[in-house]
Amino acid sequence: APIVAGGLETLLEGRGNSLRERLHHVRFEGITFSYNTCLLPNQDDYVSAQSGRLRGHYPHISAAVALSYSQGVAFDRCTFTHIGSEALRFEIGSRRCAVTNCLFTDISATGIVLESFQDRKGAPTNTYEDSVNFHHPDNPDDIFSGFLIANNTIHGVANEYYDCCGIAAGFIRDCMFAHNTLYDLPYTGISIGWGWGSADCSFQSAAGYNVIAANRIYDYEKWMNDGGGIYTLSAMVGTVIRDNYFSGKKGYYAGAPIYLDNGTRGVEVTNNVVSDLLDNNPAWATVNFWSGYNWLHDNWYSSKLTYHNGEGAQGDRGDKKTSVEENNHPVENFGWPEAARIIMENAGCTFGK
């Protein structure tokens, strides 16, 4: 059988000159990106904090396609496959870009990354890129905002770097993640947020008003634990998680299909369906410590599952349980009512149907 060994780390790089001179209104249609490599393991250890963000000198591994200072850039009906790193990454200065109707499969790390994770100043090299605080940026134009990630199929990703996700984003605002199908994942499906609440004791943050809707996520946490189908960190007021359908969570330690992890605040979770029968850690939703003021209502879940609220644990900054869980419906023996079945039927990628 033929063997193909990628020699390039980056297949395509697009970069504007600055926030005022962005790369703009470029469209990629029907292109296949394949066979790159990642040389970081030859240069340094791979020590991940989470979701492929690294501890040490290198913030992340390479990406097959990387764009920075970009606006209005679109990928439609493209295929990313046989990728030895992250597949598609939007870096500093990017906003209002779109990834639609694309396929991501056989990826070593994360499929789609919105690289907005830095939450403090003073990184070692003192470049502008390293000094931007995406959580509280001095310049509002640094905020990652207005992305559309919709109707993509993402499976067989994070094949070598198990801590990576289907989709990962840091501090983002006014972004839409809709009708994506994600499965065959060692860890988390969609991860939004960063910082574990360390930078946002209040609700003041650049992050918020995101919509994560009508995604189909299954067969996840195959090798790792403490993740979720949809996983969040830190305050993101006005964010809504709705109309998603989850099944097939494999991890047994911590985590949940809907996991509002440390510091998550101001998120509404509604009209989701969770179909699982887990023997260990049987939570359909978890709100972890340092979190608060979330609203989980009108969801459906398999009756064996439970709701877990860890707010107020570990003597944290919020010593009261302020998130509200109400009017959620346990369902016996997969006897889903019509309203839940409609959500299940409509969730996931509709491209090609």
Side-chain angles (χ1 to χ4, degrees):
I3 297 175
V4 179
L8 295 174
E9 286 192 290
T10 302
L11 304 177
L12 171 66
E13 181 178 9
R15 183 181 179 90
N17 293 321
S18 67
L19 293 174
R20 293 188 176 184
E21 297 181 17
R22 286 181 164 99
L23 171 70
H24 63 90
H25 298 96
V26 179
R27 187 173 181 86
F28 300 89
E29 292 186 1
I31 299 174
T32 296
F33 299 93
S34 294
Y35 299 115
N36 79 318
T37 189
C38 176
L39 300 177
L40 176 63
N42 296 339
Q43 304 165 11
D44 199 5
D45 294 331
Y46 182 90
V47 182
S48 175
Q50 189 167 292
S51 302
R53 296 12 268 158
L54 307 183
R55 303 178 187 273
H57 181 74
Y58 297 94
H60 47 66
I61 63 175
S62 57
V65 177
L67 298 106
S68 55
Y69 298 106
S70 59
Q71 177 175 311
V73 176
F75 291 82
D76 185 64
R77 290 173 287 121
C78 293
T79 296
F80 296 78
T81 185
H82 312 313
I83 297 296
S85 62
E86 294 176 343
L88 173 58
R89 184 168 69 224
F90 293 91
E91 300 177 349
I92 187 169
S94 296
R95 64 182 182 182
R96 302 174 191 166
C97 296
V99 184
T100 56
N101 306 317
C102 292
L103 171 65
F104 295 80
T105 185
D106 191 18
I107 311 295
S108 291
T110 298
I112 303 171
V113 180
L114 307 186
E115 183 63 38
S116 50
F117 296 90
Q118 179 75 354
D119 62 353
R120 63 187 184 280
K121 296 186 176 181
T125 62
N126 291 319
T127 65
Y128 179 75
E129 285 85 349
D130 287 332
S131 68
V132 170
N133 180 340
F134 290 116
H135 190 280
H136 290 90
D138 294 328
N139 187 342
D141 284 342
D142 277 318
I143 298 174
F144 273 63
S145 63
F147 281 82
L148 173 64
I149 312 296
N151 274 311
N152 302 290
T153 298
I154 302 172
H155 68 95
V157 302
N159 286 338
E160 277 68 49
Y161 303 97
Y162 290 170
D163 61 297
C164 292
C165 309
I167 300 169
F171 300 110
I172 59 173
R173 190 177 186 88
D174 297 319
C175 295
M176 168 76 80
F177 303 83
H179 284 288
N180 301 289
T181 295
L182 303 98
Y183 64 98
D184 189 14
L185 307 166
Y187 182 47
T188 287
I190 300 174
S191 178
I192 306 294
W194 196 245
W196 288 265
S198 60
D200 54 15
C201 296
S202 69
F203 287 101
Q204 297 177 355
S205 169
Y209 302 99
N210 304 298
V211 177
I212 310 170
N215 300 285
R216 175 71 173 104
I217 303 173
Y218 63 100
D219 195 21
Y220 57 100
E221 276 197 60
K222 293 177 61 177
W223 305 113
M224 306 291 283
N225 293 296
D226 201 20
I230 294 174
Y231 174 96
T232 64
L233 283 168
S234 297
M236 51 185 81
V237 174
T239 292
V240 179
I241 299 173
R242 60 172 174 81
D243 300 312
N244 302 284
Y245 173 28
F246 307 85
S247 64
K249 178 182 181 293
K250 299 296 195 297
Y252 291 109
Y253 167 73
I258 303 170
Y259 190 4
L260 310 186
D261 202 4
N262 302 154
T264 298
R265 292 182 171 221
V267 174
E268 180 181 7
V269 178
T270 187
N271 281 352
N272 299 283
V273 175
V274 180
S275 176
D276 267 318
L277 295 175
L278 299 178
D279 293 326
N280 296 309
N281 185 40
W284 69 269
T286 290
V287 180
N288 214 351
F289 55 88
W290 301 347
S291 302
Y293 300 98
N294 303 294
W295 185 25
L296 300 88
H297 66 97
D298 297 290
N299 300 281
W300 291 267
Y301 59 93
S302 297
S303 59
K304 190 175 181 180
L305 304 180
T306 60
Y307 166 72
H308 175 71
N309 187 328
E311 294 174 29
Q314 301 191 8
D316 60 51
R317 292 182 287 273
D319 58 357
K320 298 179 180 179
K321 288 179 167 55
T322 56
S323 291
V324 175
E325 184 263 340
E326 61 183 1
N327 200 35
N328 297 296
H329 313 287
V331 176
E332 298 276 354
N333 300 319
F334 306 104
W336 304 106
E338 182 179 3
R341 291 200 304 270
I342 290 173
I343 293 170
M344 298 162 78
E345 292 168 1
N346 290 336
C349 181
T350 61
F351 176 64
K353 290 186 178 179

